[in-house]
Amino acid sequence: MSYYQRHVFFCVNQREAGAACCNNHGAQVMRDYAKDRVKALRLDSKNRRVRINNAGCLDRCNEGPVIVVYPEDVWYTYVDKEDIDEIIEEHLKNGRVVERLRI
């Protein structure tokens, strides 16, 4: 059994010279927001065990910004905090994949 119930990786890679990358879309800010929301909702507790982490390039730059949720191996893109809130509420809290954001 995995230590974390769900482990979320936010690509926060920054490429040189304006090349397509997740951090061009504010990925680090969104990752920080998600981490704060998970803590505020106590999803990081010993019972829920949701972990939010930075990741380097996840090699889906043209689909970015991207996150991946394990152990389900579900990939998402997002535009704003409302999308992140929906992923947290539906997937991380209630176990339902957000199909409209899935890639």
Side-chain angles (χ1 to χ4, degrees), residues 44-81:
D44 63 338
S45 69
K46 289 182 181 180
N47 293 334
R48 299 305 294 259
R49 292 193 175 146
V50 173
R51 174 79 177 189
I52 306 292
N53 275 101
N54 288 336
C57 184
L58 294 174
D59 205 25
R60 295 187 85 168
C61 305
N62 292 327
E63 299 172 277
V66 298
I67 65 173
V68 61
V69 180
Y70 290 112
E72 296 98 330
D73 190 27
V74 174
W75 291 77
Y76 290 112
T77 190
Y78 56 88
V79 173
D80 52 27
K81 289 180 180 178

Side-chain angles (χ1 to χ4, degrees), residues 1-37:
M1 183 171 151
S2 177
Y3 180 77
Y4 296 111
Q5 183 180 13
R6 293 198 171 80
H7 204 158
V8 183
F9 292 91
F10 275 74
C11 177
V12 295
N13 191 55
Q14 181 66 59
R15 293 188 184 272
E16 294 181 18
C21 67
C22 292
N23 215 35
N24 285 351
H25 302 280
Q28 185 66 55
V29 170
M30 297 302 268
R31 178 262 180 206
D32 294 345
Y33 173 78
K35 190 168 186 85
D36 290 344
R37 289 294 299 141

